[in-house]
């Protein structure tokens, strides 16, 4: 994923139950070290994108899961064919 180093990566979508506004309260509870990141209810991915922006996922395995096939398809398209997004 290519990003502008001066700006954080933010969730692509607003999602019911999203954690973006809660991040300042959640960050102190993130583990200091971990081997892998597993997100079973990805939704907007606020926690994942926050960790990514902070460089905390570098060198770690990340498994992102959601039962909403359309949501996963959206993120796969952004991942695999970003040049087609926004046309």
């Amino acid at each position: 994923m290519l990003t502008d180093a001066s700006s954080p990566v933010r969730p692509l979508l607003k999602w019911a139950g999203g954690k973006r506004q809660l991040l300042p309260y959640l960050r102190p509870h993130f583990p200091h070290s971990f081997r892998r990141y597993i997100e079973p209810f990805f939704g907007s991915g606020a926690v994942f994108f926050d960790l990514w922006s902070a460089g905390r996922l570098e060198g770690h395995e990340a498994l992102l899961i959601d039962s909403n096939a359309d949501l996963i398809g959206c993120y796969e398209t952004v991942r695999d064919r970003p040049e087609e997004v926004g046309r």
Side-chain angles (χ1 to χ4, degrees):
M1 179 183 285
L2 298 175
T3 62
D4 178 348
S6 65
S7 62
V9 178
R10 295 191 178 171
L12 177 66
L13 308 166
K14 285 199 174 258
W15 200 255
K19 309 290 182 288
R20 186 168 174 205
Q21 284 81 17
L22 297 174
L23 288 171
Y25 306 102
L26 295 174
R27 284 183 194 116
H29 302 284
F30 292 170
H32 293 286
S33 64
F34 54 91
R35 290 191 328 240
R36 63 182 163 214
Y37 176 78
I38 300 172
E39 178 64 67
F41 307 103
F42 191 64
S44 72
V47 173
F48 169 79
F49 289 118
D50 188 63
L51 290 168
W52 179 275
S53 293
R56 302 237 7 242
L57 293 176
E58 190 170 328
H60 291 78
E61 176 186 2
L63 180 60
L64 309 174
I65 306 164
D66 201 287
S67 62
N68 185 318
D70 290 333
L71 175 72
I72 296 303
C74 174
Y75 280 111
E76 287 174 340
T77 300
V78 171
R79 179 194 67 196
D80 299 340
R81 299 188 313 268
E83 67 283 351
E84 294 181 25
V85 176
R87 283 188 184 177

